[in-house]
Amino acid sequence: ETGVTQSPTHLIKTRGQQVTLRCSSQSGHNTVSWYQQALGQGPQFIFQYYREEENGRGNFPPRFSGLQFPNYSSELNVNALELDDSALYLCASSTGLAGGLETQYFGPGTRLLVL
Amino acid sequence: DQQVKQNSPSLSVQEGRISILNCDYTNSMFDYFLWYKKYPAEGPTFLISISSIKDKNEDGRFTVFLNKSAKHLSLHIVPSQPGDSAVYFCAASVGEYGNKLVFGAGTILRVKS
């Protein structure tokens, strides 16, 4: 059984550019959540996808968007990058079976630096 | 508005002793609580969880206690080992709302040998 994987591991972009981050869920998981972790803070919820549909969104602007594919892998897209978007982006997957009372398993993250 | 707070940024403990990490929350609708451990350059690793119908859950060296009236939970690690040195995050969710996790800012635990 493979765990959650993310790509790329590191990325450098400039202000105004667009970025796509990718995540492969753990085997058997149909729910994926994305989090942003700024330096010195805990992860903050961006949004969640369940069976390819958005299933909740945190306090992030519309330039943060996502997709989940039929194989339950996922993408996070960020348009018009700002300096404050520099952070570790974490993807987490779960089974979607426990009505919310379940554990999310995290990938290693993608470190994004916006210059 | 910080709904989950970890008021101790760091904690230093001697190997073999007990480590106690604390977490407070403000949202009374939270019904599921988790602790994650994070090493540098890795994603958070799930440690232990507890639902609001329980007040204690134990898994090996790790025990989580939940005090709903005080809106407080704690993680006990006994005995502490040098490999436990990491950042520990407390997280909470409202199950009805689809499992969005709200995290605290983390506590750095250093276990000295």
Side-chain angles (χ1 to χ4, degrees):
Chain A
E1 179 183 283
T2 56
V4 180
T5 59
Q6 292 186 244
S7 62
T9 54
H10 295 83
L11 204 51
I12 300 175
K13 292 284 189 177
T14 55
R15 269 185 306 175
Q17 284 189 311
Q18 178 265 343
V19 69
T20 297
L21 310 182
R22 294 179 175 83
C23 170
S24 290
S25 301
Q26 187 165 314
S27 176
H29 289 187
N30 58 19
T31 301
V32 65
S33 305
W34 285 92
Y35 293 81
Q36 180 196 67
Q37 186 181 11
L39 206 58
Q41 298 181 21
Q44 276 199 295
F45 176 75
I46 303 175
F47 43 58
Q48 183 182 85
Y49 280 82
Y50 171 67
R51 292 187 174 180
E52 303 177 59
E53 300 272 336
E54 189 177 288
N55 182 40
R57 187 178 181 92
N59 190 24
F60 280 82
R63 59 190 186 84
F64 285 78
S65 63
L67 277 175
Q68 189 181 29
F69 299 100
N71 66 355
Y72 302 130
S73 65
S74 176
E75 285 183 356
L76 164 65
N77 298 290
V78 187
N79 293 322
L81 283 166
E82 300 177 0
L83 296 180
D84 284 350
D85 295 333
S86 296
L88 179 68
Y89 288 85
L90 294 161
C91 164
S93 73
S94 53
T95 61
L97 295 175
L101 300 181
E102 59 176 6
T103 300
Q104 295 184 16
Y105 295 90
F106 284 82
T110 294
R111 175 77 60 190
L112 172 65
L113 178 61
V114 182
L115 301 175
Chain B
D1 173 31
Q2 262 193 301
Q3 298 185 65
V4 177
K5 297 180 186 179
Q6 294 176 256
N7 291 319
S8 300
S10 64
L11 175 68
S12 187
V13 170
Q14 198 67 35
E15 181 180 6
R17 306 295 292 267
I18 184 172
S19 297
I20 300 177
L21 297 103
N22 293 302
C23 178
D24 297 297
Y25 62 95
T26 57
N27 187 344
S28 56
M29 294 189 68
F30 286 144
D31 54 8
Y32 193 55
F33 304 88
L34 309 92
W35 284 93
Y36 286 86
K37 176 172 74 173
K38 188 178 184 301
Y39 294 118
E42 294 183 14
T45 302
F46 169 72
L47 268 179
I48 192 168
S49 63
I50 188 168
S51 74
S52 58
I53 61 172
K54 295 185 175 182
D55 54 20
K56 176 182 175 182
N57 189 26
E58 197 170 349
D59 184 1
R61 297 187 297 115
F62 302 92
T63 303
V64 57
F65 295 92
L66 175 62
N67 182 335
K68 288 191 294 291
S69 60
K71 294 191 178 68
H72 177 84
L73 66 156
S74 60
L75 174 68
H76 293 210
I77 307 173
V78 183
S80 301
Q81 299 172 354
D84 295 329
S85 298
V87 180
Y88 287 77
F89 290 100
C90 167
S93 70
V94 180
E96 180 185 3
Y97 296 153
N99 207 18
K100 159 190 169 180
L101 291 178
V102 180
F103 282 84
T107 297
I108 300 170
L109 173 65
R110 294 188 185 91
V111 180
K112 298 175 288 187
S113 55

